[in-house]
């Protein structure tokens, strides 16, 4: 006996057999096979160093009733990234010591069916430099002066001339600051346009 139902639900099927002399009856519970969850479209994300990024990762389950979905990060996720396993909310604030640039991030969503099935996806997370040229954690007038000199094409010898870097600066040479600002010019969207 074969039959195809229009909807995916658990059904109880009763089978009765009668050969004229005797009859028998039995019931079976028929469950459709587990379907893998579907991960929503993942779009590229951009975040500026020391700023927070938060967005929901969306997934659906085609089974009826829908199963519980659990979200997780792949092993390549940057340090400090969190993905709420129940809600799929992605949260990250990149530390100021992180190098700007693009990074692939892999996500996974798993259902609680039998067997458990999953879907994976990858998106590009681009970290842009902030305007804290000396890396001390604040963008101030000193950073503005350095950036203006940089954008006007000042050579390394003039980039820091007469400038007092902020307390706790992590980029203390003209070469280090130029490298940091150069990275901002090569990323999309561009942070610094000369």
């Amino acid at each position: 006996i074969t039959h195809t139902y229009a909807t995916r639900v658990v059904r109880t099927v009763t089978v009765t057999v009668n050969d004229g002399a005797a009859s028998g009856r039995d019931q079976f519970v028929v469950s459709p096979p587990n379907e893998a969850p579907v991960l929503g479209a993942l779009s590229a994300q951009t975040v500026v160093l020391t700023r927070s990024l938060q967005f929901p990762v969306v997934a659906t389950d085609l089974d009826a009733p829908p199963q519980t979905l659990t979200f997780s990060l792949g092993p390549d996720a940057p340090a400090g990234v969190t993905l709420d396993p129940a809600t799929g909310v992605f949260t990250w604030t990149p530390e100021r010591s992180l190098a700007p640039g693009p990074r692939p991030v892999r996500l996974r969503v798993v259902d609680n069916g039998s067997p458990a099935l999953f879907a994976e996806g990858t998106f590009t997370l681009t970290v842009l430099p902030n305007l804290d040229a000396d890396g001390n954690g604040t963008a101030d007038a000193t950073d503005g002066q350095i950036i203006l000199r940089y954008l006007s094409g000042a050579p390394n010898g003039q980039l820091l001339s007469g400038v007092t870097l902020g307390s706790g600066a992590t980029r203390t040479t003209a070469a280090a600051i130029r490298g940091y600002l150069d990275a901002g010019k090569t990323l999309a969207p561009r942070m610094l346009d000369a």
Side-chain angles (χ1 to χ4, degrees):
I1 298 173
T2 61
H3 182 75
T4 303
Y5 290 100
T7 57
R8 296 180 43 80
V9 295
V10 175
R11 301 199 187 262
T12 301
V13 177
T14 303
V15 178
T16 304
V17 178
N18 186 336
D19 67 359
S23 66
R25 180 182 188 145
D26 207 347
Q27 285 190 333
F28 303 93
V29 175
V30 179
S31 299
N34 186 25
E35 292 282 332
V38 176
L39 192 59
L42 296 171
S43 58
Q45 300 289 324
T46 302
V47 63
V48 175
L49 281 173
T50 71
R51 304 290 188 236
S52 293
L53 172 67
Q54 186 175 66
F55 64 92
V57 176
V58 178
T60 55
D61 187 68
L62 302 177
D63 296 300
Q67 298 168 347
T68 301
L69 300 179
T70 303
F71 296 87
S72 62
L73 293 163
D76 55 351
V81 169
T82 61
L83 182 64
D84 187 291
T87 65
V89 172
F90 179 99
T91 306
W92 188 42
T93 303
E95 297 292 328
R96 65 182 162 146
S97 60
L98 187 71
R103 318 169 145 65
V105 178
R106 188 167 30 123
L107 306 174
R108 177 182 272 208
V109 61
V110 180
D111 68 21
N112 66 338
S114 181
L117 298 176
F118 67 91
E120 285 185 326
T122 301
F123 70 96
T124 299
L125 177 57
T126 300
V127 178
L128 296 177
N130 61 19
L131 297 178
D132 175 19
D134 63 6
N136 71 340
T138 60
D140 54 22
T142 298
D143 298 302
Q145 187 177 13
I146 293 169
I147 290 169
L148 285 174
R149 289 178 181 182
Y150 169 82
L151 291 174
S152 67
N156 279 358
Q158 295 175 1
L159 198 61
L160 299 179
S161 177
V163 172
T164 302
L165 298 178
S167 174
T170 59
R171 289 181 284 277
T172 58
T173 66
I177 290 173
R178 185 173 300 281
Y180 177 77
L181 295 174
D182 283 346
K185 290 179 67 173
T186 61
L187 300 171
R190 289 173 54 156
M191 186 192 92
L192 296 171
D193 288 316

